[in-house]
Amino acid sequence: MLILILILTIIAVIVAASWFIIRGITNYHKSDKYIQKEKERLTRPSDVRQLAEEYNISPEYEKIIAEFCRNEKLKNIKYLIKNSVEISEILRKHYFKLKEKKADAKTINDFFTLQYKFEEITAKTKRLRHTNQIPDGSVVFYISTSGEQLPLNLIKKSREALYLELPDFLVQRKQEPKLLERNRYSYKSNDGISYTFSSRTIRYEKNEENKNIMLIAHTEKLLTEVQRHYKREYSNIKCTFSPMQVIRSSNSKEDDSYIISDKTYLGILTNISGGGCCIKNELPIKEGQYLNVNLSELGIKETVIGLIKKTRKLPDGFFALHIQFIELTIETQNKILTYVYKYEI
């Protein structure tokens, strides 16, 4: 009996000691000191593995990210990935390192793919869920029907709406959104993540300073740029395009050929990404039409073949051609992505 009591006592002491040790370790792992130490240390393979598991990253990209972290001697990627500003600066410096080394086109293209993947993960860690999370004093851009981005200052928020100050030139030009009309807006957070959303205009009013204020409804449907395959950049650049006829090859081993029309049409490039663009023009060109898109204004001389995936009539009578790039060289895509990321202006 005495032995049994002694054994139970020893077990109780061990359990109590284990509990205190585990509790101490748990509290230490929650402490600011431990977290700061974890942030500052170099990335380990286990960190990348945990990141891949948490954000469903494929083994291919897990390997690429691990190699990048090792080569760049990055601090703990689990914490660093939440800081989009710091990540963007690291990527920018790496881009110019590649240029200095005269890296080949495939290496540059892989770099842009890696950058997209980092942005995708960062957006998941920092994403806004509701427009009421946009801070007062921020600039929200109204995207006009022509694709022009017009800055509006966020004065304040209520439970129902955002209070946006309209610039005088917008009112003078009578380009303010119509009441109850759904329009598109964009917002870029301090950590560099871009969002787009749609909202209806509730009403207009004057504030105490006699400024024109527009109230738009809140929404939870905020889309981030990284929900696309490529980051998109808004623009207002002239471009030209020509219809193309596709000659299908009867031989599966040979490529299809294209006949470019002699007719050239003028349009406005309202946005562009590595995978496509949108052109505003006067022609209601049907979906499914192939085009030769001229992007010489972006310093691109190579042929870019696109397919109209959607044609949308705009309120001002023009048409928006949503184009998917079908054929372009990897060098051309790199030039487009360089423009989108504003690495070389």
Side-chain angles (χ1 to χ4, degrees), residues 47-312:
D47 299 323
V48 180
R49 195 175 309 117
Q50 290 175 27
L51 193 75
E53 291 174 357
E54 184 174 357
Y55 296 104
N56 196 28
I57 300 170
S58 68
E60 176 189 3
Y61 281 113
E62 180 184 343
K63 183 179 179 181
I64 293 171
I65 292 172
E67 183 179 359
F68 182 77
C69 291
R70 184 172 61 253
N71 292 341
E72 292 296 312
K73 295 181 173 55
L74 296 190
K75 292 184 289 186
N76 193 338
I77 190 64
K78 292 193 300 181
Y79 293 92
L80 186 61
I81 198 66
K82 299 176 182 180
N83 189 334
S84 60
V85 174
E86 191 170 353
I87 281 287
S88 295
E89 185 58 28
I90 290 169
L91 290 166
R92 175 177 288 273
K93 290 178 179 178
H94 186 73
Y95 170 81
F96 287 108
K97 283 182 184 178
L98 293 177
K99 296 296 286 186
E100 287 177 8
K101 294 178 180 178
K102 300 186 184 303
D104 59 35
K106 175 64 167 57
T107 301
I108 297 292
N109 200 257
D110 287 344
F111 161 77
F112 282 122
T113 302
L114 175 65
Q115 175 147 10
Y116 166 77
K117 181 56 64 175
F118 273 132
E119 288 181 344
E120 184 180 46
I121 299 169
T122 301
K124 289 179 180 178
T125 66
K126 303 286 285 185
R127 184 183 172 191
L128 298 181
R129 302 295 177 181
H130 197 283
T131 48
N132 62 14
Q133 294 176 284
I134 301 176
D136 292 351
S138 299
V139 176
V140 175
F141 290 90
Y142 160 53
I143 304 173
S144 71
T145 54
S146 63
E148 186 179 7
Q149 292 197 79
L150 303 167
L152 312 176
N153 291 322
L154 176 59
I155 304 301
K156 64 177 182 177
K157 301 182 294 289
S158 67
R159 292 182 60 183
E160 295 78 23
L162 298 174
Y163 287 65
L164 300 170
E165 180 183 341
L166 297 174
D168 292 337
F169 75 86
L170 192 64
V171 178
Q172 292 167 1
R173 285 158 50 178
K174 297 182 178 180
Q175 288 185 310
E176 66 270 28
K178 296 178 181 178
L179 281 175
L180 303 181
E181 184 177 70
R182 183 172 291 279
N183 292 281
R184 292 168 57 230
Y185 298 87
S186 69
Y187 163 70
K188 189 171 185 177
S189 62
N190 290 333
D191 51 22
I193 300 174
S194 296
Y195 300 85
T196 57
F197 62 92
S198 297
S199 179
R200 295 188 186 279
T201 304
I202 298 175
R203 70 173 186 270
Y204 289 98
E205 62 182 44
K206 294 274 191 177
N207 66 2
E208 297 176 354
E209 299 175 354
N210 202 36
K211 296 288 186 180
N212 294 293
I213 306 298
M214 175 178 69
L215 279 69
I216 65 172
H218 280 303
T219 180
E220 295 179 346
K221 297 179 180 179
L222 287 91
L223 302 177
T224 60
E225 293 295 342
V226 293
Q227 289 179 308
R228 300 170 178 269
H229 292 297
Y230 299 96
K231 182 177 180 178
R232 179 177 57 175
E233 175 66 15
Y234 290 98
S235 61
N236 189 32
I237 300 172
K238 291 181 180 179
C239 68
T240 58
F241 60 91
S242 302
M244 301 183 70
Q245 181 183 354
V246 183
I247 308 299
R248 300 296 181 187
S249 174
S250 58
N251 188 336
S252 59
K253 295 182 179 180
E254 295 180 1
D255 295 332
D256 296 334
S257 58
Y258 302 90
I259 299 176
I260 303 176
S261 170
D262 293 333
K263 296 182 179 179
T264 299
Y265 301 96
L266 180 66
I268 299 295
L269 189 72
T270 58
N271 68 67
I272 189 169
S273 74
C277 66
C278 182
I279 295 177
K280 176 183 176 181
N281 82 116
E282 299 177 339
L283 304 173
I285 305 177
K286 294 182 179 179
E287 297 167 3
Q289 171 67 54
Y290 286 85
L291 299 177
N292 173 43
V293 183
N294 185 325
L295 299 173
S296 58
E297 290 291 325
L298 299 182
I300 296 172
K301 298 179 181 179
E302 299 86 353
T303 297
V304 177
I305 298 173
L307 174 67
I308 299 177
K309 302 295 288 185
K310 182 179 180 180
T311 298
R312 181 167 54 92

